[in-house]
Amino acid sequence: MSTSEAIRADAARLLAEGRAKLVIGYRARGPHRAPAFVSDPAGVDVLIYDNLCKQNLAVYLRKPEVRSRGPVAVVAPPAVMRSLVVLAAESQLTEATVLAVGPDAYHGVLDLAGAAALLKEKYADLAPSPELLEALAKLDAMSPQERARFWTDQFAKCTRCYACRAACPLCYCARCIVEKNVPQWISTAAAQHGNFAWQIIRAFHQAGRCTLCGACEAACPQGIPLMLLNLALSEEVAKQFGEKPGYDPAAKPVIGSWKPDDDQGFVR
Amino acid sequence: MKILDADKLPDLAAVLAAAGYRVVAPVRDGAQVRMAEWKPGLAIDAGPIPANSVKEFLFPRCEVIARYSLDGDSFAPQPAPVDAPKTAVLAVRPCDAAAMVALDKVFNWEYRDDAWNARREATTLVALVCAAADDECFCTSVGGAPDARLGADAVLRCADGASKFILEALGEKGQALLAAAAGVLADGDARPDPPASVPVRFDSKAVTDWCGENFESPLWRDLGLACLGCGSCAYACPVCHCFDIQDEGTRSEAVRLRNWDTCGLALFTQHSGGHNPRPDQAARWRQRVMHKFRYFVERFGGLACTGCGRCARLCPARLAISQVCREIDEARKAAAK
Amino acid sequence: MTIAIYQSAMMNIVLARDEAPDVRTLRLQFADEADRVRFFQKYRVGMFGLYGVPGAGESAFCVASPPTRTGYVECTFRRTGRVTAAIRDREVGQAVTFRGPYGNSFPIESWKGRAIVFIAGGIGLPPIRSVIWNVLDRPGDFGPVTIVYGARTVADLVYKDELADWGARPDVKLVTAVDPGGETPDWKGQVGFVPFVLDHAAPPGAGAVALVCGPPIMIKFTLPVLLKLGFAPKDVYTTLENRMKCGVGQCGRCNVGSTYVCRDGPVFTLDQLRHMPAADM
């Protein structure tokens, strides 16, 4: 049985048994892959899975329209499972039902603990792509002035459409800081000052949380290489705190917790 | 017939820049080709459909519409001049050029927007007949064509198997541009290449009619589930024109800004008292489709969509308005049987 | 060159009056006489303006004073966000920006000789106060005037002095009400929701004109009462208070269907509202 067929069978069973009222998976739209929302066991035939399925479907769990449907099951490659684990660690969800897929195999229906165990067992060493590592190394090798110019050029393109935020499962604030205007923390204009503030704040709010799923960069209509920022922060967190988010549903948030042996070298 | 070798677009840009034009052209930027201000040394890539539309050069993402000096509790108006440089846009797509005609209506239907009109007047659109289209293109479904001329001041057309361009002026602005570019243009003959073939994907009239009867439809709920609520589609759209007005400033100066905005974002219609007439993404998708295919038709006598397909190419959830329209058209046909 | 449609007039605050908690009335005078002349050439009751404080922003509210009083413009607003807070913080002698008037108006010339019933809830009175004064400033032109006005509590009633004036006039029948629980021991008016109070006051609807303004829920329950009393849908008017930014039919924010509330409205008849997609209001 192919992965797609296995997913359909499990989805139909979950829906028929009432364990899920809604299954979120992937469907084909021409050569593209779009999200599929299936609530009827008879409708599972649209579900497919292949290596073109890239969107992080965990993002839908924050939508009231989705949550109000009752228990939801999500077709989850490792990136989606890691997002769910972080959401659980941040008390955004208490349980999850996933149809766990890996690049190599289909792992069946799992709960949150099962997903976390699977991640640790089989997907503990998900490495960023060589291209991304190379691009970051190139950036690191730049002088501060060159790097500033690089980001100035990149951020200049930002239209403030907030697709990066919308695509990220971990950007779940009911009211984002860019939309708070008493006081106006961040300039609303899609121009240098506000764009820098927005981009830096977005990245910093992800520090120690981002699982490097790539949804934000894939969503950016302007082609801004957001993963360079995410990866830089992520490597810094790993170096400073030895933490890799998205594996332990009981993990304390890196930036929201304190340990006596945390590096305090920055305190002068 | 005015001829330009296919690899000489940068020469055309250079001669126009020397003649005082700000030149906007498709240039490669990372994985994308974008319409951007051309600078000497930049290659021009007229192959792929640019990721952004030409809109932002006539209707900037952010613009100062009023300026005040501040002194304690008092203030005084200061000049806020309109920035409308003489501009040549090279290889603008026919769908983008047509969109500017739709926007002319919005910015002039009752009150006239000086900034839009000044930039429109100062801009020469050199359309490129599309030699290729992708699976998101649907200009032919919304009254356009890969070789349409609506809104264009001049037309570039691939010829002799993509080895040359034919450049043709369509009006005074186009003639002035051709005159300024005379130094790089040759007189001669060339056989125009056939334009791209773009299949008709739906009947837009059927969509307009359907929208009139289906303000309540399960379709909106389904779309609302998948939509993430970002502004990517609207900001990429050459016709979307909704904007916000915001003040910003320092202790000594305040500016009133016009910023792009979109009905796809939750705060767009949110009242300060908390009530939101469009409370969910389903209502916002409905507004998007209705505005483009019904309300705009009722108001301005044309569609607010020119079929460029950018919204679908860039949507993080890969939603496509053309597919929505196709489903509507098919449902209508099925119901009629 | 500047964008002419966004150039504001400077207006000086000559009077500020607190009407209710967080609700204030400002009387504004044009700093430039030419702006005043231009304004009153165009201004008819029902139109609105964009009031602003540079650095904070602009906010749309109605012109609450009638065109029969040509020395000033009054507005009454509730402090709800950044802009209204900034306008409220301005003091007498200081300036605000103003552009307008925008929008359509109540067709009061077609109401000559007819009975007029004004129905308002809470902060919904200011948009029709200009009509009330316009009508009362032209004695003999219109038929009998009835005003039904309710608020959540006694403190939330706006224009308390004017309510007293209207109540004392022989040519006005005034009914004031507060929601149950909003009354004070010395409250002399009625207790009940506006639709209920209107039903009891029962102004005859045949041939009469009604103006309704208030929170959406009040309007929703008032309209059936008006129909029951015999008002024709084409003679029932309200004004929509959608979010607006530009005021000139371009920014797309106030749209309800193909209607630009800022240009085709804000005044609509019940007849017109029935043809608009209700869910977008």
Side-chain angles (χ1 to χ4, degrees):
Chain A
M1 191 161 32
S2 73
T3 298
S4 294
E5 285 164 349
I7 286 173
R8 285 176 208 143
D10 277 345
R13 195 164 44 81
L14 288 170
L15 290 168
E17 290 172 1
R19 286 169 66 194
K21 295 278 186 208
L22 185 67
V23 174
I24 308 176
Y26 302 93
R27 66 183 168 89
R29 181 175 72 72
H32 315 294
R33 298 294 175 264
F37 298 83
V38 181
S39 52
D40 181 350
V44 298
D45 285 351
V46 299
L47 295 171
I48 59 159
Y49 188 80
D50 58 26
N51 60 9
L52 295 173
C53 297
K54 300 269 198 237
Q55 193 189 350
N56 190 334
L57 301 178
V59 71
Y60 289 110
L61 293 180
R62 67 149 182 261
K63 290 191 74 168
E65 297 96 320
V66 170
R67 284 180 173 238
S68 67
R69 291 292 191 93
V72 176
V74 185
V75 175
V80 175
M81 286 188 273
R82 283 185 71 188
S83 295
L84 294 174
V85 168
V86 177
L87 287 171
E90 296 180 355
S91 306
Q92 297 302 306
L93 50 85
T94 50
E95 196 38 87
T97 305
V98 299
L99 296 91
V101 286
D104 42 356
Y106 177 59
H107 303 287
V109 177
L110 300 174
D111 62 8
L112 196 59
L118 175 70
L119 285 169
K120 278 181 206 154
E121 185 198 325
K122 294 207 66 168
Y123 304 108
D125 299 314
L126 296 172
S129 73
E131 295 81 19
L132 181 59
L133 289 168
E134 193 187 318
L136 185 60
K138 224 169 109 188
L139 198 63
D140 279 340
M142 288 181 185
S143 70
Q145 291 77 10
E146 286 172 326
R147 209 157 42 233
R149 181 163 325 131
F150 173 84
W151 285 118
T152 302
D153 289 347
Q154 292 299 333
F155 294 161
K157 294 188 284 189
C158 177
T159 59
R160 307 288 284 280
C161 72
Y162 303 123
C164 47
R165 180 184 72 186
C168 176
L170 302 184
C171 269
Y172 52 70
C173 291
R175 187 142 186 171
C176 176
I177 188 166
V178 276
E179 278 144 9
K180 292 189 176 170
N181 70 351
V182 190
Q184 184 81 53
W185 293 103
I186 298 175
S187 166
T188 56
Q192 189 181 20
H193 182 67
N195 284 4
F196 254 86
W198 159 245
Q199 293 288 351
I200 302 278
I201 283 192
R202 189 206 63 79
F204 269 58
H205 278 188
Q206 296 290 346
R209 308 172 62 228
C210 175
T211 62
L212 300 176
C213 76
C216 53
E217 184 175 296
C220 179
Q222 302 292 87
I224 302 171
L226 299 173
M227 284 299 281
L228 286 172
L229 280 176
N230 297 341
L231 180 59
L233 283 165
S234 176
E235 287 189 343
E236 197 60 29
V237 166
K239 197 169 84 190
Q240 293 285 338
F241 305 101
E243 297 279 348
K244 204 169 172 188
Y247 288 94
D248 178 5
K252 290 248 181 356
V254 171
I255 304 298
S257 60
W258 176 82
K259 283 185 274 192
D261 58 344
D262 281 347
D263 180 15
Q264 294 172 32
F266 68 94
V267 183
R268 286 177 226 268
Chain B
M1 195 178 271
K2 295 293 177 192
I3 307 289
L4 182 74
D5 284 343
D7 58 355
K8 292 284 194 286
L9 281 176
D11 295 2
L12 176 60
V15 70
L16 292 173
Y21 285 92
R22 168 179 73 152
V23 178
V24 172
V27 298
R28 185 154 285 282
D29 177 3
Q32 294 183 328
V33 167
R34 308 178 52 76
M35 295 303 282
E37 192 166 341
W38 179 85
K39 297 281 181 235
L42 277 182
I44 295 179
D45 189 347
I49 295 154
N52 57 334
S53 87
V54 74
K55 169 176 78 177
E56 66 185 88
F57 300 96
L58 292 132
F59 172 44
R61 298 172 208 168
C62 166
E63 173 171 29
V64 174
I65 57 171
R67 191 181 290 277
Y68 295 89
S69 57
L70 306 181
D71 181 8
D73 287 321
S74 66
F75 57 85
Q78 300 296 329
V82 169
D83 185 28
K86 182 173 156 186
T87 300
V89 187
L90 298 184
V92 60
R93 298 295 171 140
C95 44
D96 275 12
M100 300 306 104
V101 177
L103 290 183
D104 282 339
K105 298 175 189 166
V106 175
F107 287 116
N108 288 289
W109 71 272
E110 188 175 11
Y111 287 86
R112 297 174 63 82
D113 187 293
D114 299 328
W116 169 266
N117 291 333
R119 279 189 286 267
R120 194 80 166 87
E121 186 53 41
T123 301
T124 305
L125 295 176
V126 182
L128 172 73
V129 172
C130 291
D134 70 12
D135 63 324
E136 305 288 15
C137 287
F138 61 101
C139 57
T140 49
S141 306
V142 288
D147 56 352
R149 296 179 160 208
L150 181 65
D153 302 301
V155 174
L156 268 175
R157 180 157 197 179
C158 293
D160 287 356
S163 67
K164 292 192 171 68
F165 286 113
I166 302 168
L167 181 56
E168 182 191 347
L170 297 179
E172 277 176 30
K173 282 197 280 182
Q175 278 158 7
L177 181 134
L178 256 68
V184 297
L185 300 174
D187 283 304
D189 268 328
R191 244 177 96 84
D193 296 341
S197 142
V198 180
V200 175
R201 298 182 201 281
F202 59 88
D203 171 8
S204 71
K205 174 74 169 52
V207 177
T208 301
D209 291 346
W210 183 90
C211 283
E213 298 149 12
N214 288 278
F215 192 80
E216 304 295 343
S217 163
L219 174 70
W220 310 129
R221 194 198 57 205
D222 293 347
L223 287 167
L225 274 181
C227 177
L228 295 171
C230 73
S232 181
C233 51
Y235 293 175
C237 175
V239 190
C240 275
H241 54 270
C242 289
F243 58 85
D244 190 11
I245 295 176
Q246 288 281 342
D247 277 27
E248 292 186 359
T250 61
R251 280 175 181 278
S252 58
E253 190 197 53
V255 287
R256 197 152 281 167
L257 300 167
R258 162 160 70 179
N259 296 330
W260 285 359
D261 204 349
T262 162
C263 62
L265 296 174
L267 290 184
F268 187 66
T269 47
Q270 172 102 41
H271 294 197
S272 54
H275 172 67
N276 195 339
R278 296 193 201 119
D280 53 24
Q281 225 45 45
R284 294 168 206 139
W285 244 97
R286 169 171 61 201
Q287 171 66 17
R288 177 169 177 76
V289 177
M290 289 275 181
H291 193 192
K292 290 189 171 301
F293 287 89
R294 174 102 198 163
Y295 305 153
F296 205 84
V297 179
E298 290 175 346
R299 193 85 213 187
F300 300 114
L303 301 169
C305 174
T306 58
C308 72
R310 287 192 183 88
C311 51
R313 272 179 221 112
L314 296 172
C315 176
R318 271 290 182 175
L319 296 171
I321 203 166
S322 63
Q323 197 200 11
V324 172
C325 289
R326 191 185 174 123
E327 282 169 16
I328 288 172
D329 188 14
E330 282 169 1
R332 201 177 158 79
K333 283 195 187 108
K337 274 179 193 158
Chain C
M1 182 189 61
T2 54
I3 311 180
I5 52 179
Y6 296 117
Q7 298 314 300
S8 296
M10 298 274 279
M11 298 197 88
N12 297 315
I13 301 172
V14 294
L15 186 148
R17 189 173 59 233
D18 286 321
E19 304 283 358
D22 280 339
V23 178
R24 174 172 279 200
T25 295
L26 296 180
R27 179 174 293 180
L28 307 168
Q29 278 177 349
F30 287 95
D32 184 338
E33 171 64 11
D35 287 330
R36 188 193 70 80
V37 171
R38 232 184 337 264
F39 175 86
F40 281 101
Q41 276 169 354
K42 207 176 154 196
Y43 173 53
R44 304 288 178 271
V45 281
M47 293 181 174
F48 68 96
L50 281 147
Y51 305 74
V53 174
E58 291 180 308
S59 201
F61 13 94
C62 66
V63 177
S65 52
T68 43
R69 303 176 185 190
T70 56
Y72 57 84
V73 165
E74 283 186 347
C75 63
T76 301
F77 60 96
R78 188 198 296 277
R79 185 183 61 177
T80 52
R82 183 162 82 125
V83 181
T84 43
I87 298 173
R88 195 189 175 289
D89 287 346
R90 301 251 106 190
E91 288 164 11
V92 170
Q94 296 180 348
V96 294
T97 65
F98 176 86
R99 52 190 181 90
Y102 293 130
N104 69 350
S105 55
F106 292 99
I108 62 169
E109 299 311 321
S110 68
W111 302 344
K112 279 187 183 163
R114 298 165 70 183
I116 307 175
V117 181
F118 297 94
I119 303 134
I123 190 78
L125 186 56
I128 57 177
R129 174 219 193 201
S130 55
V131 195
I132 294 174
W133 278 121
N134 200 355
V135 166
L136 297 180
D137 281 350
R138 293 167 52 180
D141 275 5
F142 301 93
V145 168
T146 305
I147 302 170
V148 177
Y149 177 49
R152 256 179 341 109
T153 70
V154 175
D156 288 313
L157 293 163
V158 301
Y159 306 136
K160 292 182 183 70
D161 294 350
E162 293 181 23
L163 290 174
D165 283 356
W166 294 338
R169 288 176 73 124
D171 53 346
V172 174
K173 180 184 175 192
L174 175 72
V175 184
T176 51
V178 294
D179 291 354
E183 67 271 31
T184 51
D186 56 350
W187 172 242
K188 301 267 191 308
Q190 310 231 353
V191 176
F193 297 107
V194 165
F196 174 82
V197 172
L198 172 70
D199 201 1
H200 266 251
V209 173
L211 280 71
V212 194
C213 194
I217 189 79
M218 183 206 95
I219 294 182
K220 184 178 167 192
F221 287 102
T222 297
L223 294 178
V225 176
L226 287 170
L227 295 180
K228 190 181 110 186
L229 293 171
F231 289 88
K234 68 173 175 47
D235 290 324
V236 176
Y237 294 83
T238 187
T239 124
L240 294 184
E241 301 272 307
N242 281 32
R243 251 196 116 184
M244 293 173 190
K245 285 287 184 176
C246 73
V248 293
Q250 297 179 358
C251 79
R253 196 169 302 261
C254 67
N255 295 25
V256 178
S258 59
T259 301
Y260 284 90
V261 173
C262 69
R263 304 302 310 135
D264 307 320
V267 175
F268 295 96
T269 66
L270 177 54
D271 232 6
Q272 291 169 317
L273 291 186
R274 282 171 164 180
H275 293 102
M276 285 157 67
D280 266 5
M281 283 175 226

